[in-house]
Amino acid sequence: MAISSIFVRCFLPPQRDEDRVLLLKCMPNLKVKVHGGSGGGGRILLSRGCNVRCGFSAQDKPPKPKQTQKQSHSSSRRSEPDVDPVGFLSKFGISDRAFAQFLRDRHKALKDRKLELFSRFLDMSVASSGYGILGMHRHRQHRVDFMEWAPGARYCSLIGDFNGWSPTENSARDGHFGRDDFGYWFIILEDKLQDGEEAEQYYFQEYNYVDDYDKGDSGISAEELLKRANDEYWGPGEVRTRKSTLEMLSRLYEEMFGPNGPQTEEELGEIPDAETRYKQWKETHKSDPSNPCYDVIDNGKEYDIFNVVSDPVSREKFRRKKPPLAYWIEMRKGRKAWLKKYIPAISHGSRYRVYLNTPDGALERVPAWASYVHPDADGQSAYAVHWEPPPEDIYKWKNKRPKVPKSLRIYECHIGISGSEPKISSFKEFTSKVLPHVKNAGYNCIQLIGVVEHKDYSSVGYKVTNFFAVSSRFGTPDDFKLLIDEAHGLGLLVLLDVVHSYAAADESVGLSLFDGSNDCYFHTGKRGHHKYWGTRMFKYGDVDVLHFLLSNLKWWVTEYCIDGFQFHSLSSMLYTHNGFANFTGQIEEFSNQYVDKDALIYLILANEMLHELHPDIITIAEDATFYPGLCEPTTQGGLGFDYYVNFSVTDLWLWLLQDVPDQAWSMSKMVNVLVSNQSNSRKMLVYAENHNQSISGGRSFAEILFCKKNQNSDDSEDFEFRGSSLHKMIRLISFSISGFAYLNFMGNEFGHPDRVEFPMASNNFSFTYANRKWDLLMDKGLHKGLFNFDKEMMKLDEKEQILSRGPSIVHHVNDSNMVISYIRGPLLFVFNFHPENSYENYSIGVEEAGEYLLILNTDDISYGGRGVLQSDQNLQRTCPKRIDGYRNSLEVTLPARSAQVYKLAQVQIPPFPTEISSPGTSPPSLRQLRKWLI
């Protein structure tokens, strides 16, 4: 039986057209294809089992002629940037054939993956917007919709406070409003009528629960509004023979797609062919002369779509008609009317879980797309919380996102340990107490770790269980929004440490065995488990897993206005050995059988999506193996990150502090590590120490430097000065010698003396070390001095733009004297790491002659130093002595274990030589001037 199309002229407002098509997506046996447009009228072509084309076109203009294949191809080539899968190799001088071939194969696989992705989703925006339909969402037609992906289940229902935890009351089965071919389950929760209220007569009647449309609701009945729309639209003589379009659409929608409509072709009945139906229609309209003369030509096109030919008079008359949108808007009831008529199917704050029947038995799971979750606690199983506050309580953003600065000074934070009391701190406490400190300290960005919901608090938040939920132990979603909003108001960007490299293995609250099968989100077998951390590894080659992860990134940007991400532990996902291998730096290690090509493709897709939809977004790669092309454009074979983390610097300092005596520190080795990747320094994020040194079973630098038991008895009197001096020098050289971004972990700026230790069984779940001692800043002592110095270092970048300048030029490295000097921009940095020797009149080469002003000195008394340099030594003049390959030099005083920063304050212009400046001589030639200037 051939089922023909039904052509309907409809009068829905353009902004509602797209939403109505989304409604139709839920109908079985109905395919949907959307064609954009934004005109005043609209056409919807509905067909059972056929495509639905929906779009508005101004004045119903005929479509433009199609381009030829040659024209279309050339046009697309002009619009797309040039793509070279191995483009970045020549930039870094990599000539390995095997790796180049790997990049080409990866690019082919990327194109295939995009084709597979876009065959399911319209474009990258749709592919990353799953949170818009999955999970729990309020619908305009007085109901709540729930959708979940569980392909291994054979029955699905919602249980919770709202239905007495009944596994049968709100359920979905295979078939109508059940599971589709991809394993997505759909459940509708109908809002309940108040006592004495009657159900709506019209199926399309909308009640907007969020926005207040009551000011447009005049209280007139729907029948009267439909009559007004009918009278306004149809002219004299037309209304007698034509039904109201809205009435016709309502009846058609109810009969074909309503809850009681036919669901199979047998129920639909026999439908005559298109020609027979057209002849019947024409016969019924012959008697009315006001009807235009239409003729239909069947040209045999697919879906029985015809060309409709009309006379010019009736066509122009038809085009002039405008839909009565005002009446349609008036029919949309607002929240006041909703509250009078309905009770929510699931109220704000209700607990719920998803119930799944699997081949191995019944399961209860926390929905994967839940936005607010309470993990296991006090013997209670984990559950999701329906977060739908009333409109008057919905958080309203006050501040705009700050502009991305030229250089990033990042303050890394953990909310739970940010308080001074031995407890889990909250979003609100962090907002009121820590954010002002970050602003005062001179940082322009915060990076939050452990924010996403996790069951195990001692994991620091890296064993994520619920990827779309902020951790309930810190507060509510609105509390987190307030934190970000206040940070933006202070001019601080907010980055999120996102963990897509693995997931928690918990089953009751996480994604592991979510639908009863072992291959829903993760790989099966050994590949699906991290070898050392007991976590699960994502199946990055699955389209639905990509849909989940890409949507998760976009969710944090759109819902919480996050400004960027640091992708945690990429080594775990890029290699099947999870990064636990002895890397030698050979290029073959980045393209051998242990490299996960699917994971690389996901990172490319993630960066392309984020930067395409949010151009100001910041992405940072945390990869200890320095995979080639991390920060190169994806069109040139790179992964597309904005920055990469340099792990080598902190490893250098830990090795020197713990294993090498002060007198044996090698300046050459130090410089080689600090500037080892100068060619890519514009993409490098550097830190002296981050949370790993304090949290991951190690000790912070301050704990190493200020622990008395680590000092010899002879040096016990000077241990505080030694620790303070090295603490400042390590930070200054790490901050200034290379990189365009700098990171510091919360508390390390003032030398927090204790490690971080989360409550766990091994310490009787103690919070003794799970906090920060902010009271140390109240005293004018060691920690206050360290903070003052770190603050001045941040101000120096704010004023002189150190991080955003080009690479530094290291021109003086003396291992015997333990002195390092380099120039970056207009600043001269000089470091004396010798533990005992101070130097008077130490010569350092400079290019520009003139006066150099001392603008930062680690030995200043206000920073805990000894103040060896006097005020009359703050200004130094150059002498014409060639040193370090430069024409001029400075003779400076270098106290032991200290560093100074000089700035060229005044350029000295040498006098003209006597042979060209004496009275009576001829004017100097151009050659003489050039020689004098050079």
Side-chain angles (χ1 to χ4, degrees), residues 643-716:
Y643 296 93
Y644 72 94
V645 178
N646 189 339
F647 287 85
S648 304
V649 174
T650 189
D651 293 339
L652 166 72
W653 297 126
L654 277 175
W655 173 68
L656 290 174
L657 290 174
Q658 293 181 332
D659 301 326
V660 182
D662 292 2
Q663 295 84 353
W665 285 21
S666 169
M667 301 298 103
S668 299
K669 184 175 183 61
M670 188 185 301
V671 170
N672 287 338
V673 173
L674 290 171
V675 298
S676 60
N677 203 1
Q678 284 282 59
S679 61
N680 203 25
S681 63
R682 292 182 179 273
K683 303 290 186 178
M684 186 163 56
L685 183 150
V686 179
Y687 58 85
E689 56 178 329
N690 71 346
H691 69 274
N692 287 323
Q693 284 66 52
S694 302
I695 290 177
S696 303
R699 296 184 299 166
S700 68
F701 289 179
E703 187 176 7
I704 298 172
L705 290 169
F706 303 127
C707 184
K708 292 185 179 181
K709 66 180 181 180
N710 294 336
Q711 308 298 323
N712 298 323
S713 58
D714 296 340
D715 300 330
S716 58

Side-chain angles (χ1 to χ4, degrees), residues 4-12 17 20 41-47 52-56 60 233-234 243-253 256-257 308 318:
S4 301
S5 302
I6 305 168
F7 182 76
V8 180
R9 175 84 180 180
C10 75
F11 305 105
L12 308 182
D17 176 61
R20 192 159 299 279
R43 292 180 296 177
I44 293 184
L45 190 60
L46 304 177
S47 63
V52 176
R53 290 186 173 86
C54 177
F56 290 85
D60 289 342
Y233 186 81
W234 300 110
K243 298 287 185 180
S244 166
T245 304
L246 290 174
E247 291 179 347
M248 181 180 67
L249 180 61
S250 174
R251 189 184 72 253
L252 173 68
Y253 194 82
M256 296 197 67
F257 308 116
V308 179
F318 190 70

Side-chain angles (χ1 to χ4, degrees), residues 59-71:
Q59 304 300 327
D60 289 342
K61 293 181 180 179
K64 295 181 180 180
K66 294 183 178 180
Q67 288 181 317
T68 63
Q69 185 175 2
K70 184 176 181 181
Q71 289 174 332

